Amino acid sequence: MGESKLKRAKSEEVLLSCAGVQTAGGRVQVRWESESAATPMGQLAYFIEFLTLTGLWSGWQSGCPLSYTSPNAPTKAEVLGTWLLSVLSGHKRYSHVTAIRCDGVNPGLLGMKKVISEDALRRALTAIPEAEGAAWLDGHLSESVALLLDAPWILNIDSTVKPLYGKQEGAVVSYNPKKPGRPSHSYHTYLMAGLRLVVGAEVKAGNEHSGSHTLPGLLKILDGLPPGRKPKIVRGDCGFGTDAIMVALEEREQPYLFKLKLTKNVKRHIERLFREAGWRDAGQGWEGKDGELKLTGWEVARRVIVLRRPLQGEMLVAQEDDGQQLLGFIQADRKAGKHITGYEYAVMVTNLDAEILSLGQLYRDRADAENAFDELKNQWGWGGFTTHDLHRCQLSARAVALIYNWWSLFVRLASPEARREAITSRPWLMSSVGRKTEHAGQTTITLTGLHAHFSKAKQALMRVSAWLKAWGTQAAEQFNPTSVWSLCCDHLKHSLAQIGPPQALQFLTNHADGIV
């Protein structure tokens, strides 16, 4: 076909691709284009620059224990890049990968030739050996937070339940508060408090949700940290206040703060203290009293803090005929004008020697871990990416946690004054129409805003890009290319210190010498 015929065929194709659409604002022409390179995540180019200059992306690829023998198989960059883009897009199913297969911009920025299909991604994860894959992702999870651990920090340990709806390995009916009777997986998580970064994550069967199943992973993390980067406190709820966990931490001289279950003997301890004097202010309406307790099964007596606060019409201490005090629940008759004041109790066990006021605030701050779980399950991929085998569920949980850490640190660079969750940070720093054009050997991505804060996003992203380039120049002058990540973490620590740490971390900073 001659050149004139090609031009005519092209013009006819353009005319056929145009269609008139009648709208409230009048008739408009709609043109369909299938060849132009565009993306709805145009601002993601800056995050890819962050991964590239810090060496996080290349390091993740080089350590991946995936190998193919077929020359037609996808590359590591295509497998991991598809995984990365899917998680960043907020996907929760492998089938959602189809939504990013028409992205003509970001895959090329990651060194990919294509976005692989959902089936190819599943097969690739199956080809990763179980032990090597877990060790690979655990190592990168540790590296993503290691340089931030030289300041006083708290390790939150907790577990969360993921309901399942198919016949998956490890799907066992056990503790499931949201959907009783539904099989589930148990996610055991180790979080860096304040920054909400994931230090480690494990997926276990639904009936392996207790603290005894968390202990091996906890000790692995603690034993792998150098002395100067160990947590100042290990903190957990009543599921972790067991003798086995506390003995293991005491052997390592690791401070801890756990809540105790209100068992029969704990209630007796509360009854003994109830009418005693000397209750001290514990903050936010609570008052506390110090004591020592040795429960059945404990090898030694430990320091126990009893906290209480008045309640109206919910709980009281009742007195029986034999003089035995019992905890009871009541409901006040407000219509009759009867207001019976009871107390709400919480009992903590610790090997810290801090005052009651500080300990009360330290434990209340543990509730921030629930915010991290909510974000990971509802805004990231912990609510999905489920397969029949537990192996790929383990890999997905760790990969989502790793990408979550990377994105959280990148957002902190752009906005250090606030901790932004993905539901606000993704639209702000990711969503814009990006159109790629190439001319004279130069590639240009033109961004068109999709939200009202597009100009603020532009300023923040260009500022982060300038920092990364400056750190890259500084690292090149020092002949140490891996130090870009170190300079990035140093900047994060400095900027967060200027803003001021949370109240619990201020306590650790002021009392670091006394806790260690």
Side-chain angles (χ1 to χ4, degrees), residues 44-59 61 109-111 468 481 484-485:
L44 197 60
Y46 287 92
F47 179 62
I48 295 174
E49 180 187 38
F50 165 76
L51 296 181
T52 303
L53 295 183
T54 56
L56 297 175
W57 174 239
S58 59
Q61 288 185 75
L109 303 182
L110 290 168
L468 289 169
V484 175
W485 176 237

Side-chain angles (χ1 to χ4, degrees), residues 186-259:
S186 178
Y187 278 53
H188 296 258
T189 311
Y190 315 90
L191 292 164
M192 183 181 180
L195 293 179
R196 294 192 205 168
L197 299 178
V198 180
V199 182
E202 297 176 297
V203 182
K204 296 182 180 291
N207 59 347
E208 298 180 358
H209 56 78
S210 65
S212 60
H213 300 103
T214 305
L215 182 58
L218 172 63
L219 298 183
K220 179 181 177 182
I221 290 175
L222 292 177
D223 293 341
L225 292 172
R229 291 180 175 172
K230 292 184 183 295
K232 300 304 179 184
I233 302 175
V234 173
R235 187 170 59 187
D237 60 15
C238 59
F240 303 95
T242 62
D243 186 69
I245 293 178
M246 290 186 288
V247 167
L249 295 178
E250 289 163 355
E251 290 175 350
R252 291 163 173 78
E253 298 182 352
Q254 173 62 56
Y256 58 80
L257 177 64
F258 299 126
K259 190 176 182 180

Side-chain angles (χ1 to χ4, degrees), residues 20 44 61 74 93 112 119 126 213 217 271 310 315 319 369 414 418 420-421 426 461 486 506:
L44 197 60
Q61 288 185 75
R93 302 288 185 272
M112 304 164 56
D119 293 329
T126 305
H213 300 103
E271 293 166 2
M315 184 169 61
Q319 183 80 29
R420 297 177 182 267
E421 295 189 353
R426 282 201 198 108
L461 291 174
S486 301
Q506 289 178 358

Side-chain angles (χ1 to χ4, degrees), residues 75 81-82 86 90 106 144 168 171 174 209-210 282 295 305 324 346 366 400-401 407-408 437 439 444 488:
T75 63
T82 301
S86 179
N106 291 316
S144 67
Q168 288 87 13
S174 185
H209 56 78
S210 65
L295 297 177
I305 310 296
Q324 178 68 39
R366 192 203 65 83
V400 169
W407 179 255
S408 298
T437 57
H439 178 70
T444 303
C488 178

Side-chain angles (χ1 to χ4, degrees), residues 325-445:
Q325 291 179 338
L326 297 176
L327 293 177
F329 292 90
I330 63 169
Q331 185 173 359
D333 187 358
R334 296 184 180 273
K335 292 182 179 180
K338 298 178 182 179
H339 298 278
I340 304 175
T341 302
Y343 286 94
E344 176 186 2
Y345 289 92
V347 183
M348 301 182 299
V349 58
T350 183
N351 58 352
L352 295 167
D353 58 359
E355 66 276 11
I356 293 176
L357 181 61
S358 297
L359 291 175
Q361 185 61 45
L362 279 172
Y363 186 78
R364 285 191 293 271
D365 288 340
R366 192 203 65 83
D368 189 56
E370 301 301 329
N371 296 326
F373 281 139
D374 175 77
E375 184 179 359
L376 282 162
K377 293 172 71 174
N378 297 321
Q379 302 175 31
W380 294 84
W382 270 13
F385 287 115
T386 305
T387 50
H388 289 291
D389 57 294
L390 191 60
H391 164 50
R392 283 180 289 179
C393 293
Q394 291 273 18
L395 293 179
S396 292
R398 288 171 164 88
V400 169
L402 177 62
I403 298 168
Y404 161 84
N405 281 358
W406 288 347
W407 179 255
S408 298
L409 293 173
F410 176 73
V411 173
R412 277 288 190 170
L413 284 175
S415 177
E417 67 279 358
R419 172 62 172 79
R420 297 177 182 267
E421 295 189 353
I423 196 171
T424 55
S425 63
R426 282 201 198 108
W428 184 47
L429 297 178
M430 186 187 301
S431 298
S432 66
V433 176
R435 183 181 296 273
K436 185 176 73 172
T437 57
E438 296 180 354
H439 178 70
Q442 182 176 358
T443 302
T444 303
I445 300 176

Side-chain angles (χ1 to χ4, degrees), residues 105-168:
V105 178
N106 291 316
L109 303 182
L110 290 168
M112 304 164 56
K113 293 182 179 179
K114 61 180 179 180
V115 175
I116 64 175
S117 67
E118 55 177 290
D119 293 329
L121 179 58
R122 288 194 193 97
R123 289 193 297 268
L125 299 185
T126 305
I128 297 177
E130 185 171 357
E132 290 86 344
W136 161 58
L137 289 172
D138 283 342
H140 284 282
L141 266 176
S142 299
E143 291 176 5
S144 67
V145 299
L147 296 180
L148 301 170
L149 302 182
D150 52 359
W153 65 287
I154 298 173
L155 177 63
N156 281 333
I157 55 175
D158 210 340
S159 60
T160 185
V161 174
K162 174 183 175 180
L164 299 173
Y165 299 90
K167 297 181 179 179
Q168 288 87 13

